[in-house]
């Protein structure tokens, strides 16, 4: 793995589109596999790297790596992660340039009050300012991610208050921008969503009663969990041996602003995001397009994959037949050797 | 690679659904890349193994292995294959049990009159009888494939006649069953299709004038070649420095019997097989189904991938809206760890 | 794996220095592991490729590949080979150019009377003539090795006589040059050594009574077998359910001519070859050198590894102190990146 | 990579036997290759993991991984590291349990005054106390290594003084135990050795004038550098655009205590450690043994590798002949499948 440590002041996280997943079970179970299937369902949100951290009664075991979920995890590695009562998982979007093994999440750090695994989807707007303040006090940074800044801010708050969830809540007052967090402390699993609700985050429950937090409902389906509710913008939800409790003080402080690209492009069509089915939202968008921009055509063709539903909606509204016009070669993956001037294709 | 040499008398090739590809160019060129892109387009016809043999003015270089095209070939390996004026490629269907490194095609053998690379799609019905006759004369077999039997029969005929294409033509009188062959001798590229025409085989031409033989037209599109014509059942087409010539004596000797599963399931929707577009054939099948079996329903949903076009046809004929009901997780490949009782999924 | 099929008439096997290993056990056992440890001990005789074929009551399972024994075999692959009552193993010397996956031994072929696994150390001097005769009769060759020629000759003889060992014995009358063979038929294990005895071959017995044939005694030590005796030049030894029997008709027909490089360079110092300990032979050579070429020097230094014993002998004879002058970096293997003009080393 | 984050309070680094290597060149060059060859020569000091960090005018590129030098680095990865004017490399001993990807050195961290790559051989005795003090102030730790504690202490001192070398010098007043450090800041390369001099550290110079710091002189030989001098216990040597300067204030504060196992076991025989040749030291030890414990014997045999020289010394002193009694199979590496009850070896 070759890493490029570019200067921290030049870091821009334009495409911080990731997927997070966490589980809290009252009894030890194979949480690593739950995370594996959850991350597989969230794979469309990040193909650069993947990681799972199992919390086995305060002992943290992690497996993280560059690549797709099926490249990072093997049967053997999942078994080595063992059982536990908590897990945190993360898939990360392929950004150009800053791809970096040390940046692979979840982040696992040790601090005065114990240990913490943190998975983060989003990007801060005041990351540089926070980082500079910390460095001026002697802090050292291993990564170039916002997530390490968030971890530092939480740890600082933790020194001043009585619980990790209170520390997360206080930290949210200092963090600006988009963030959905799933955090495991030795004894608690915490989910937090920024006051704007830029990125989706929801809660589910497996048949055995384990609580899941994840970016999209399709990950709940993948592990056989039922959707319970969305995490509200500004909310902190904590699960521990005593049960679930929520702190909502930040709610309503900011206008709700779910990123529209979640419906148009990012989310999987079978997910329900903040109460709306992504597939139906895309069909509806196609119907609106047909009403606003009617055309005279023989067929309506969608560009796979996110454009297919919109095409179906356009076809239904306009009465023009729907057809399949593009056949994707499903075998073309990251190892495909693209044709160049000198090879293969004519011309 | 672990091979199981099962007793030859117990061999059954039920699922001999493969893809073949060959190119003849008057001048040396990067034929390995043409084969690579051609095989990628034919990957749906065989995921068990893949192979490419480059004929560089009589010097044969091959690269063969178990797995998908992108697993068997790398940039480095394609470069090592080098340029040439002929290439033969093959992808093989995943059969249970008989998966075997030594069976990976194209077969490359040395004989009295030179060398031969042979790619075969189909399965013989008299393979066992032919093999027994050969063994009784002292022949030895390295593989358990029909292809090695075909090679032996051709080599035997070659000793008795003046050209390799004549030997192929004579061998066809002794072979029974389904076979499409693409064969490279030191100086010629030969395509042959059994008299029934069970499996598809067609000819195309690249912009530079190189001649291609392949199982489906989608492979011609992949290398920028134009479709010229289908190879007729019973026909032998030969390309060499003198040009293209055909021998059609076996034509019409048997009823034409293209396997109907080519249209229903095997072929890619964007291929044209024996004159009919596969996509339209599937839509038409859906229309017929709607006429023969009308139902009262809210939506018509197709099972991906081969059922989508039939569903569109059914929807169009019946007036019931078409919808997408299944989202395939495109990241689930052969390394996916399936959930078991003891792991992951609840219940 | 990229193979180069060079023209058969241009094949020269200068460095056919290989290691062979075979076991016959009256009861099924983990013969694959015996072969694994035996080949590890013979690794110095061939680093290009390795192969093991298990004969499990007539069912042959093989695992062969390019590279060192530890690269070709894993715990998983050895387990997949399963138990059996016979095994044949081979390691092959790194020859330049003709390195070729299809040439990896043991060779496994099917013929009229069954199946045969063959491991060969040596090289024929009449290989080309035999091959031409076979090709003229319609035989096809997959490899460019002498071993395939030997297999054909044995199979031809087998059609004319009543047993495989008789066929091997008759074949030896047609084969010229150096060869040590270990062959497994469905029910027998056969060892044969050319009448000159160019290459070493010996027999041992494990504590459980399994019979081993191998190139050097160090492989017997590695599997806990006791040395029984050397195979005589021209001898054919067969083991089957009835026991061990030997045919020695070829013995004494040719002058015994063990290759002197076995003592000087090829064999391991702890092996005993044709009755002489290699280590002592090297020390003795050093003593002779000291007598024939006395020098005035401060220390005697040997070049590792084969020169160390000779240096000790020279030192002992001459009275000049022995010293270690070269430290080999034992971590430098085939993946070591050699320094070039443009990289690393100064000058 | 599966990591076990064991509780920090239970960490014991008994076997912190590592190798460090660093280069400062006034002009950009292929320093990655220098580090590669240097680490290859130091491989005997650590087989668990390896890492190289290139400093290309303030831009740090690193490649680190678990395994041997030849497993971690490929031609491709060395090229990706590119040229630079500084490099820091590290090989780490295989410790049980705490093997951990995040612990792989050199450590690369970002702090207020820039960036720092740090390679460390040794172990602190006050690591836990320093770590606790830091955590109480809000510091977070990614690793369980002493090296991260050292980095924090240096960064804290850096905030209070004018240069990185001064910060290293001040940090040494707070660090207790064994440590040899090679540190690259954006513009300087610094070597420091603890006041006791527990572990070796020396300086060399390549023909082009590049300055090297490394654990053993054999790494200087490997890169064609000449030995200049040992770093004195308690000394800090800094190289930058202005040249070499040294700070020796800590020298003589503690009794010099080079670990005797360096001569007996750790160091390579061809290294010169603190002025004494390791090979001669071992021979001398053998001579002393022969004087103190004379025996009546036929031969003197050394146990490879570190016992060979002692045996030669014993033989020379006693007059008993030296012989080679053990042949190591040099192909047995970490992938060797050890025989168990159920497999292979008899008994």
């Amino acid at each position: 793995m070759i890493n490029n440590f570019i200067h921290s002041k030049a870091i821009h996280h334009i495409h911080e589109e990731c997927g997070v997943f966490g589980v809290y079970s009252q009894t030890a179970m194979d949480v690593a596999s739950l995370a594996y299937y959850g991350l597989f369902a969230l794979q469309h949100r990040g193909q650069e790297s993947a990681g799972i951290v199992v919390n086995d009664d305060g002992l943290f075991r992690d497996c993280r790596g560059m690549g797709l979920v099926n490249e990072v995890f093997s049967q053997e590695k999942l078994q080595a992660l063992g059982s536990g009562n908590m897990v945190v998982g993360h898939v990360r979007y392929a950004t150009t340039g800053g791809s970096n093994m040390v940046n692979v999440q979840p982040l696992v750090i040790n601090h005065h009050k114990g240990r913490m695994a943190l998975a983060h989807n989003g990007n801060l707007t005041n990351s540089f300012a926070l980082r500079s303040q910390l460095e001026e006090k002697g802090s050292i940074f291993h990564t170039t991610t916002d997530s390490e800044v968030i971890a530092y801010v939480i740890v600082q708050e933790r020194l001043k208050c009585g619980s990790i969830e209170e520390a997360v809540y206080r930290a949210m007052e200092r963090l600006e921008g988009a963030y959905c967090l799933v955090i495991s402390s030795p004894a608690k699993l915490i989910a937090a969503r920024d006051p704007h609700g830029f990125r989706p985050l929801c809660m589910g429950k497996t048949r055995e009663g384990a609580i899941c937090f994840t970016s999209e409902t399709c990950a709940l389906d993948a592990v056989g969990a039922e959707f319970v509710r969305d995490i509200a913008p500004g909310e902190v939800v904590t699960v521990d041996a005593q049960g679930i409790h929520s702190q909502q003080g930040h709610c309503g402080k900011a206008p709700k602003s779910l990123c529209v690209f979640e419906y148009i492009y990012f989310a999987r069509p079978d997910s329900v995001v903040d109460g709306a089915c992504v597939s139906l939202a895309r069909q509806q968008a196609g119907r609106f397009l047909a009403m606003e921009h009617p055309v005279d055509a023989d067929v309506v063709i969608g560009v796979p994959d996110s454009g297919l539903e919109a095409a179906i909606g356009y076809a239904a509204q306009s009465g023009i037949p729907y057809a399949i016009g593009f056949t994707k070669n499903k075998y073309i993956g990251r190892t495909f050797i693209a044709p160049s001037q000198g090879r293969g294709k004519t011309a």
Side-chain angles (χ1 to χ4, degrees), chain A residues 17-33:
Chain A
E17 189 52 37
C18 305
V20 297
F21 186 83
V23 175
Y24 183 99
S25 166
Q26 294 293 351
T27 54
M29 60 176 294
D30 183 6
V31 287
S33 291

Side-chain angles (χ1 to χ4, degrees), chain A residues 19-308:
Chain A
V20 297
F21 186 83
V23 175
Y24 183 99
S25 166
Q26 294 293 351
T27 54
M29 60 176 294
D30 183 6
V31 287
S33 291
L34 285 182
Y36 176 78
Y37 296 115
L39 294 184
F40 238 113
L42 298 171
Q43 183 77 86
H44 60 287
R45 297 184 72 85
Q47 293 100 46
E48 186 197 49
S49 68
I52 292 177
V53 182
V54 168
N55 177 344
D56 179 13
D57 200 20
L59 178 68
F60 286 58
R61 284 185 295 268
D62 87 320
C63 178
R64 293 176 285 180
M66 301 299 287
L68 296 169
V69 170
N70 64 359
E71 294 169 335
V72 173
F73 304 103
S74 62
Q75 184 89 46
E76 199 177 41
K77 286 179 178 171
L78 285 182
Q79 278 169 356
L81 283 170
S83 64
N85 66 319
M86 280 185 261
V87 74
V88 176
H90 193 269
V91 288
R92 188 182 158 120
Y93 190 87
T95 57
T96 52
S99 299
N100 203 318
M101 182 58 205
V102 298
N103 288 346
V104 172
Q105 297 202 29
L107 188 68
V108 182
I109 59 106
N110 306 289
H111 62 100
H112 185 49
K113 302 286 187 176
R115 191 162 286 108
M116 186 165 82
L118 182 151
H120 167 226
N121 174 20
N123 54 310
L124 302 186
T125 51
N126 65 335
S127 178
F128 172 62
L130 290 170
R131 192 180 172 112
S132 294
Q133 290 163 20
L134 287 160
E135 288 183 343
E136 281 164 18
K137 300 258 172 64
S139 293
I140 66 178
F141 285 84
H142 291 243
T143 79
T144 54
T145 61
D146 290 359
S147 314
E148 196 176 7
V149 173
I150 296 173
Y152 255 117
V153 173
I154 294 171
V155 166
Q156 285 192 329
E157 296 298 328
R158 181 68 186 87
L159 292 177
K160 294 183 271 174
C161 68
S163 72
I164 181 71
E165 62 267 36
E166 180 64 24
V168 172
Y169 187 82
R170 288 181 182 212
M172 288 168 75
E173 285 167 11
R174 293 168 59 190
L175 305 176
E176 290 167 16
Y179 53 88
C180 281
L181 305 174
V182 176
I183 296 169
S184 176
S185 78
K188 296 172 183 176
L189 188 73
I190 299 160
R193 191 176 180 193
D194 69 69
H196 290 273
F198 287 122
R199 295 289 159 222
L201 190 63
C202 66
M203 177 162 67
K205 193 177 194 169
T206 70
R207 229 169 286 184
E208 297 87 349
I211 298 300
C212 306
F213 297 114
T214 186
S215 301
E216 288 187 35
T217 60
C218 63
L220 297 179
D221 299 339
V223 298
E226 277 190 15
F227 173 77
V228 174
R229 67 175 178 87
D230 290 303
I231 306 305
E235 184 181 6
V236 178
V237 181
T238 307
V239 198
D240 60 15
Q242 277 66 51
I244 306 171
H245 43 111
S246 163
Q247 213 171 347
Q248 305 217 24
H250 297 303
C251 298
K253 284 190 182 164
K256 195 179 156 185
S257 317
L258 180 75
C259 174
V260 72
F261 274 93
E262 291 288 347
Y263 288 119
I264 297 171
Y265 188 72
F266 291 150
R268 235 172 66 169
D270 54 336
S271 283
V272 176
V273 173
D274 280 352
C277 167
V278 173
S279 173
L280 293 178
R282 287 181 190 166
Q283 283 185 42
Q284 196 61 34
R287 286 180 179 275
F288 287 147
L289 188 66
M291 288 187 271
E292 289 179 13
H293 293 284
V295 290
D296 181 24
D298 297 319
V299 287
V300 182
I301 286 168
V303 176
D305 295 325
S306 60
L308 296 180

